[in-house]
Amino acid sequence: MSGNSRPVTSNQAEPHPALADTVGRHLAHPWRAPLADHDREAFQRARDWLGDSDAPLILDSGCGTGRSSVLLGQRYPQARVLGLDQSAHRLARAPRRFPIPDNVLLLRTDCAGFWRLAEAAGWRPWRHYVLYPNPWPKSAHLKRRWHGHPVFPHLLGLGGTLVLRTNWELYAREMAGALALAGRQASVSALAGGQPPVTDFEEKYRHSGHRLWELVADLDH
């Protein structure tokens, strides 16, 4: 894969000054936007697939082509892995590139809607991966970042171990700040080199010379 990805540029050099007000408002006022039928259908498909299994559940939100979901399914064969992505085009590439293990299901859905349905149903994932999302680097786009989005309390409510990776350090630091405002601790560290890439974005960013960052947080404490 060629390394032609540009580093993130932003007009924001520090955590957003409206972060605390935005997170506080979302924590105080539940998000009541209507849920889309396609998200309900995807969630029902996931419920049917899981059945009455008591295996640990892994969510891979924004899984793209499913590369990370497949690797997680191989790494944790005792778990069930749900790969979520809103792009049918990206998901359609998965079977042609990777054999899909029996413990992995890829679903087309909007993550925000799926998270709300999962939390309402009492799902408690063991691990939740959010790998290389679009960071929305302009300061005006704070509310499009997961920690500034009204779905943030539902992400917290799912619990489990959150693992987020990004090529924009400020994004990870801001997420850690939002988690702290909600009473959760997170660690942010540079991702060590030499590890096999887990997503197409990670491979492309490495080849482009980007420094990569990982946030890990236990949302149950």
Side-chain angles (χ1 to χ4, degrees):
M1 181 177 292
S2 61
N4 58 359
S5 178
R6 295 180 180 179
V8 175
T9 58
S10 175
N11 59 345
Q12 185 184 326
E14 301 290 339
H16 202 288
L19 180 66
D21 287 344
T22 301
V23 172
R25 185 167 60 253
H26 292 157
L27 291 173
H29 302 287
W31 192 29
R32 302 191 184 281
L35 288 158
D37 288 341
H38 65 84
D39 291 333
R40 294 184 186 277
E41 292 167 2
F43 183 69
Q44 186 58 52
R45 184 182 171 198
R47 293 184 75 162
D48 292 343
W49 180 71
L50 290 171
D52 57 0
S53 171
D54 59 357
L57 175 63
I58 295 174
L59 294 183
D60 183 18
S61 295
C63 68
T65 61
R67 177 175 179 174
S68 51
S69 302
V70 168
L71 290 174
L72 290 169
Q74 294 170 344
R75 182 179 301 172
Y76 302 109
Q78 79 282 13
R80 308 295 293 275
V81 180
L82 286 174
L84 314 176
D85 201 273
Q86 64 181 353
S87 171
H89 174 71
R90 286 192 292 264
L91 290 172
R93 294 170 57 193
R96 299 196 298 268
R97 297 183 63 195
F98 322 105
I100 309 299
D102 291 339
N103 66 330
V104 173
L105 177 67
L106 303 180
L107 289 170
R108 183 190 181 191
T109 185
D110 177 68
C111 291
F114 194 95
W115 294 351
R116 291 172 66 193
L117 290 164
E119 186 203 16
W123 286 20
R124 294 298 178 265
W126 171 51
R127 300 178 73 86
H128 190 169
Y129 290 83
V130 183
L131 305 176
Y132 304 99
N134 187 338
W136 294 103
K138 293 183 179 179
S139 62
H141 292 158
L142 171 64
K143 294 180 182 178
R144 299 187 184 185
R145 303 170 197 165
W146 286 130
H147 48 270
H149 194 284
V151 80
F152 182 63
H154 301 281
L155 171 62
L156 298 175
L158 285 170
T161 298
L162 175 66
V163 180
L164 178 145
R165 290 185 180 180
T166 180
N167 66 330
W168 187 29
E169 181 182 6
L170 184 57
Y171 183 87
R173 300 290 179 191
E174 224 176 53
M175 172 64 86
L179 290 169
L181 290 166
R184 273 74 162 186
Q185 293 184 339
S187 65
V188 176
S189 59
L191 195 64
Q195 302 179 34
V198 298
T199 76
D200 293 340
F201 277 116
E202 185 164 290
E203 183 173 11
K204 186 174 185 178
Y205 292 156
R206 284 194 183 280
H207 286 173
S208 301
H210 295 194
R211 197 171 186 189
L212 306 180
W213 302 89
E214 182 176 74
L215 174 146
V216 179
D218 182 355
L219 300 186
D220 295 323
H221 296 86

